[in-house]
Amino acid sequence: METTAMHIANGIVDGPVSAVFAVLAVVALAFCVRKARNDLDERLAPMAGLVAAFIFAVQMLNFQVLPGVSGHLLGGTLAVILVGPWVGALCVSTVLIVQCLLFADGGLTALGLNVTNMALLGTAAGYLLVAGLLRVLPRNARGLAITAFVASVVSVVVASQGFVLEYALGGTTELSLPWVSGTMAVSHTLIGIGEGLIAATTVATVAKVRPDLVYALRRFRRAPIAAEMGVKA
């Protein structure tokens, strides 16, 4: 079977399933665009460009996992922490679309699958973990680094299992589903650890130098004690 440099290749998942996830991706991205308008300002807009460029660079490091499927750093959690979930999903999606159309990284018919897994599932899982962890960890560079590492590992594995679901619905090869799931989980756990280290180092550095540029630090602030106890001022 012919392999590609990145992502899911054409023909790994059949046409009908690929089409369904393409529609799902378009609808979800349209919703992200609508929500992102509330977040974008003179501070977040240039940061989004930098995040997209950084994700593009780190995604050039890829590792063959299955025939026609490769694993690589995703950057979803990093994007969530720096620019938020809506803009973050759009950053990752932009990178995936550019890679597909200009560099033939990933199949064109599988673009919806790749966007769903990496830009939507990956960032959603990362955002939920970041939101939860920053409610219990300190809002400083160290706490942010721990959050970035844990969320990165989990979000990468979640994204990989998105492919397993798609393969279960419309896989075209004879590889067994348990084997595909296990292989994707193990390989992407290792990839997630690498991504976690990169994300933790990056966000900790930014938080030390310019904490005002870190979306997560601005968004997830501790509520006043009176508010947490339900006491009105």
Side-chain angles (χ1 to χ4, degrees):
M1 182 181 298
E2 184 178 343
T3 60
T4 59
M6 284 186 178
H7 319 307
I8 303 171
N10 289 324
I12 300 300
V13 177
D14 65 26
V17 173
S18 297
V20 168
F21 279 95
V23 173
L24 173 64
V26 170
V27 172
L29 290 180
F31 182 75
C32 288
V33 169
R34 181 178 178 182
K35 298 291 288 186
R37 291 174 180 171
N38 298 325
D39 291 336
L40 284 174
D41 53 26
E42 69 281 354
R43 176 170 48 188
L44 197 61
M47 177 61 78
L50 293 174
V51 168
F54 184 80
I55 291 174
F56 182 88
V58 298
Q59 282 198 4
M60 299 305 291
L61 302 172
N62 62 96
F63 319 91
Q64 197 65 40
V65 177
L66 297 171
V69 181
S70 60
H72 55 73
L73 306 180
L74 304 187
T77 296
L78 174 66
V80 162
I81 292 175
L82 293 179
V83 297
W86 314 116
V87 178
L90 294 175
C91 287
V92 178
S93 297
T94 300
V95 170
L96 296 175
I97 293 170
V98 169
Q99 289 175 338
C100 176
L101 298 181
L102 298 185
F103 299 95
D105 289 339
L108 182 60
T109 61
L111 182 57
L113 303 171
N114 289 318
V115 168
T116 298
N117 296 339
M118 291 180 273
L120 301 178
L121 288 179
T123 54
Y127 177 75
L128 291 175
L129 281 166
V130 169
L133 290 172
L134 286 182
R135 295 184 186 281
V136 296
L137 292 174
R139 269 63 156 199
N140 54 30
R142 183 176 181 180
L144 200 62
I146 295 173
T147 297
F149 179 81
V150 174
S152 292
V153 174
V154 176
S155 66
V156 169
V157 175
V158 168
S160 75
Q161 296 307 297
F163 165 74
V164 175
L165 172 62
E166 295 156 356
Y167 181 82
L169 295 174
T172 59
T173 73
E174 297 181 355
L175 298 175
S176 70
L177 189 61
W179 186 83
V180 170
S181 178
T183 301
M184 293 293 284
V186 172
S187 60
H188 282 80
T189 297
L190 298 176
I191 293 171
I193 292 174
E195 173 164 335
L197 293 174
I198 293 174
T201 302
T202 303
V203 300
T205 301
V206 175
K208 289 179 180 178
V209 178
R210 288 291 303 275
D212 59 301
L213 295 180
V214 181
Y215 175 93
L217 293 180
R218 302 194 308 271
R219 174 65 178 82
F220 302 111
R221 301 178 183 276
R222 289 189 184 279
I225 295 177
E228 290 181 351
M229 297 178 64
V231 179
K232 296 182 179 181

